């Protein structure tokens, strides 16, 4: 353990078992540690750094905003927020956005909006929320309450009441949990943390149908799978199934801490009103300058098209690993959000070996190797990733 690692362990609360590497700087899709060793980055800070490091124009836009204003509170208007909000609403085809500091806070806002929607309609008895098993929505008390992982929840119970769990991609199990008291159903469009499980078309369509019929709000958590990761701005757009509320974060600012919950017309008209919700930092000029620039870069440099174009190549190469190695049982995923199911050896072993050989990948669930690279990777990066993974698996 070197000096920086030791000092961190002395002062930082031990809630993470970190990899033994001190990262220093990045360039493109590469990261460099303090000893000068370089790593091909297929983790992207957990699906955050959509544009990699120092993407042309990105740093400049942020520096320019630092030179003007970083923070003013939400008591005043500012240009970056109005631009970022406009672009987010336009990209999603939804109605109103609220910027937060994280994904977790976006979930909190979405849950509050759903409860308030029922309340505003005079249905105070409608407070139940249906969430999915193996889901992940964050670590605060509210977000944890809808996270389908008992191991994460149990030490902190009692959490918020009225949450029921159903099985992802099992419409009947969701139907079985619906009562007169149900106000919302929340699901990731592609489960991330739980092991990279894309929703089935019929599942999302079925949810949409039930929710519309019963006036239940449908919430899609797009925090990990949104912002171009699956080849459309938001994963639900490729299914043609629109939620009433959507959460996003991670790649939204591509490196600055920002999230948002976005309401469709119905939820926007009758839910959160002045005084119902707030945040000191949320959507400050600095982070919104990043969001706004990210949308500009996505448009000008055709990032979504690039993901769509390169996905078949990435999938073909990963499928090659499934064929070649007994330890790789299957591939699952959508776009640049891919998982390899590892059997026979702990997935952590493969991740550690890859790190030693200069490739950053992460895990998901108990046995999935997760690949969530910057959206700007090239074929050459994919080839190199496969080469290092092969050496790590051999
Ligand atoms: C990461 C994540 C969250 C939590 O976001 P934070 O920014 O860590 O608070 C919520 N939902 C999903 C699907 C995520 O991947």
């Amino acid at each position: 353990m070197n000096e920086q690692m030791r000092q961190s362990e002395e002062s930082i609360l031990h809630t993470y078992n970190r990899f033994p590497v001190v990262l220093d700087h990045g360039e493109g899709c590469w990261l460099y540690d303090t000893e000068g060793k370089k790593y091909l980055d297929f983790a992207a800070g957990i699906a955050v750094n959509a544009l990699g490091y120092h993407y042309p124009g990105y740093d400049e836009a942020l520096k320019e905003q630092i030179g003007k204003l970083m923070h003013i509170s939400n008591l005043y208007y500012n240009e970056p927020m109005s631009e970022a909000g406009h672009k987010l609403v336009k990209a999603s085809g939804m109605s109103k956005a609220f910027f937060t500091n994280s994904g977790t806070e976006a979930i909190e806002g979405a849950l509050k909006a759903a409860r308030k929607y029922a309340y505003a309609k005079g249905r105070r008895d409608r407070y139940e929320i249906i969430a999915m098993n193996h889901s992940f929505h964050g670590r605060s008390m509210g977000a944890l309450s809808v996270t389908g992982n008992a191991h994460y929840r149990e030490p902190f119970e009692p959490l918020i009441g009225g949450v029921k769990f159903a099985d992802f991609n099992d419409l009947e199990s969701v139907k079985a949990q619906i009562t007169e008291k149900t106000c919302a159903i929340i699901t990731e469009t592609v489960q991330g943390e739980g092991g990279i499980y894309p929703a089935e078309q019929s599942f999302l369509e079925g949810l949409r149908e039930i929710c519309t019929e019963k006036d239940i709000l449908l919430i899609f958590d797009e925090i990990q799978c949104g912002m171009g990761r699956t080849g459309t701005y938001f994963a639900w757009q490729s299914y043609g199934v629109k939620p009433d509320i959507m959460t996003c974060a991670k790649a939204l600012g591509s490196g600055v801490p920002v999230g948002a919950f976005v309401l469709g017309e119905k939820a926007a008209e009758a839910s959160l009103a002045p005084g119902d919700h707030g945040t000191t930092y949320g959507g400050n000029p600095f982070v919104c300058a990043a969001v706004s620039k990210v949308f500009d870069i996505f448009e000008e440099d055709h990032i979504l098209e690039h993901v769509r174009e390169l996905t078949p190549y990435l999938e073909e190469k990963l499928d090659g690993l499934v064929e070649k190695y007994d330890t790789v049982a299957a591939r699952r995923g959508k776009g640049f959000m891919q998982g390899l199911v590892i059997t026979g050896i702990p997935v952590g072993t493969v991740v550690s070996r890859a790190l030693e050989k200069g490739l950053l990948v992460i895990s998901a669930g108990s046995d999935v190797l997760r690949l969530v690279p910057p959206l700007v990777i090239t074929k050459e990066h994919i080839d190199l990733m496969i080469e290092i993974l092969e050496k790590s698996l051999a």
Side-chain angles (χ1 to χ4, degrees):
M1 214 187 245
N2 75 18
E3 184 52 30
Q4 287 106 329
M5 295 180 204
R6 198 165 42 242
Q7 200 174 56
S8 281
E9 290 305 333
E10 264 172 31
S11 53
I12 305 297
L13 188 67
H14 191 99
T15 58
Y16 281 93
N17 292 315
R18 293 176 214 274
F19 293 105
V21 52
V22 184
L23 294 173
D24 182 66
H25 64 280
E27 192 57 53
C29 298
W30 293 89
L31 280 163
Y32 296 78
D33 69 15
T34 45
E35 268 142 41
K37 181 176 167 182
K38 69 178 199 174
Y39 303 84
L40 179 61
D41 185 14
F42 267 64
I46 317 188
V48 167
N49 300 315
L51 302 172
Y53 306 92
H54 308 296
Y55 192 88
Y58 177 83
D59 293 11
E60 290 75 7
L62 267 64
K63 284 177 187 166
E64 197 187 318
Q65 189 57 46
I66 290 172
K68 288 193 197 168
L69 260 185
M70 287 185 72
H71 179 78
I72 54 166
S73 88
N74 275 303
L75 301 177
Y76 313 97
Y77 293 99
N78 71 83
E79 271 179 39
M81 184 192 270
S82 81
E83 279 168 21
H86 173 75
K87 289 168 191 175
L88 176 54
V89 159
K90 192 168 156 229
S92 60
M94 297 187 74
S95 182
K96 297 279 193 291
F98 182 105
F99 286 108
T100 64
N101 307 297
S102 67
T104 298
E105 286 169 81
I107 295 291
E108 296 292 327
L111 299 178
K112 279 181 71 176
R115 286 249 172 112
K116 181 69 199 293
Y117 176 81
Y119 179 93
K121 297 218 146 180
R123 296 292 307 266
R124 291 180 77 156
D125 58 321
R126 289 189 108 176
Y127 56 83
E128 284 182 359
I129 296 162
I130 300 172
M132 303 302 141
N133 288 316
H134 305 296
S135 64
F136 181 82
H137 299 293
R139 305 289 200 149
S140 64
M141 298 303 263
L144 201 51
S145 303
V146 291
T147 288
N149 182 330
H151 181 72
Y152 287 168
R153 282 200 316 271
E154 263 171 25
F156 307 102
E157 287 169 349
L159 298 169
I160 67 166
V163 178
K164 296 173 152 189
F165 288 95
D167 289 332
F168 187 66
N169 276 338
D170 182 347
L171 199 56
E172 292 309 313
S173 97
V174 177
K175 282 183 184 165
Q177 299 295 345
I178 293 177
T179 70
E180 273 305 302
K181 295 179 188 159
T182 309
C183 74
I185 297 175
I186 182 168
T187 183
E188 290 153 273
T189 321
V190 180
Q191 283 193 337
E193 212 62 39
I196 315 290
Y197 289 94
E200 282 163 18
Q201 181 72 31
S202 58
F203 181 63
L204 296 190
E205 280 175 3
L207 291 181
R208 182 64 278 173
E209 202 173 304
I210 299 168
C211 287
T212 304
E213 183 196 315
K214 297 187 182 291
D215 199 22
I216 293 167
L217 294 184
L218 182 57
I219 306 171
F220 287 163
D221 180 349
E222 289 264 341
I223 290 167
Q224 189 162 158
C225 61
M227 284 310 285
R229 183 143 299 279
T230 69
T232 48
Y233 266 117
F234 301 102
W236 56 262
Q237 289 169 324
S238 73
Y239 292 87
V241 178
K242 194 172 178 179
D244 298 299
I245 303 176
M246 160 182 91
T247 57
C248 55
K250 291 200 163 86
L252 181 61
S254 294
V256 301
V258 60
F261 61 96
V262 192
L263 309 179
E265 237 161 78
K266 190 167 94 168
E269 270 165 24
S271 65
L272 301 176
D276 279 337
H277 200 54
T279 165
T280 299
Y281 284 132
N284 80 11
F286 177 65
V287 299
C288 281
V291 174
S292 186
K293 188 66 188 178
V294 167
F295 276 112
D296 289 350
I297 292 170
F298 269 51
E299 291 298 318
E300 283 159 21
D301 296 351
H302 311 288
I303 303 295
L304 304 178
E305 292 83 346
H306 175 73
V307 173
R308 287 202 291 267
E309 250 170 56
L310 221 55
T311 292
Y313 187 75
L314 175 62
E315 290 186 339
E316 180 196 314
K317 289 283 169 177
L318 293 173
D319 286 340
L321 297 181
V322 179
E323 265 167 47
K324 193 162 166 188
Y325 297 93
D326 290 340
T327 44
V328 186
R331 176 189 65 80
R332 285 195 296 264
K334 212 168 152 57
F336 285 5
M337 184 170 178
Q338 296 285 340
L340 294 173
V341 182
I342 305 294
T343 58
I345 44 169
V347 62
T349 306
V350 184
V351 171
S352 294
R353 281 188 202 158
L355 177 88
E356 279 163 28
K357 297 179 198 318
L359 170 70
L360 299 189
V361 288
I362 48 182
S363 61
S366 56
D367 60 352
V368 175
L369 188 125
R370 171 166 38 163
L371 301 145
V372 283
L375 304 184
V376 294
I377 51 162
T378 61
K379 272 190 175 165
E380 289 68 40
H381 292 127
I382 294 174
D383 290 344
L384 192 54
M385 174 275 288
I386 294 289
E387 202 179 294
I388 301 177
L389 265 192
E390 291 218 29
K391 283 188 204 146
S392 309
L393 289 162

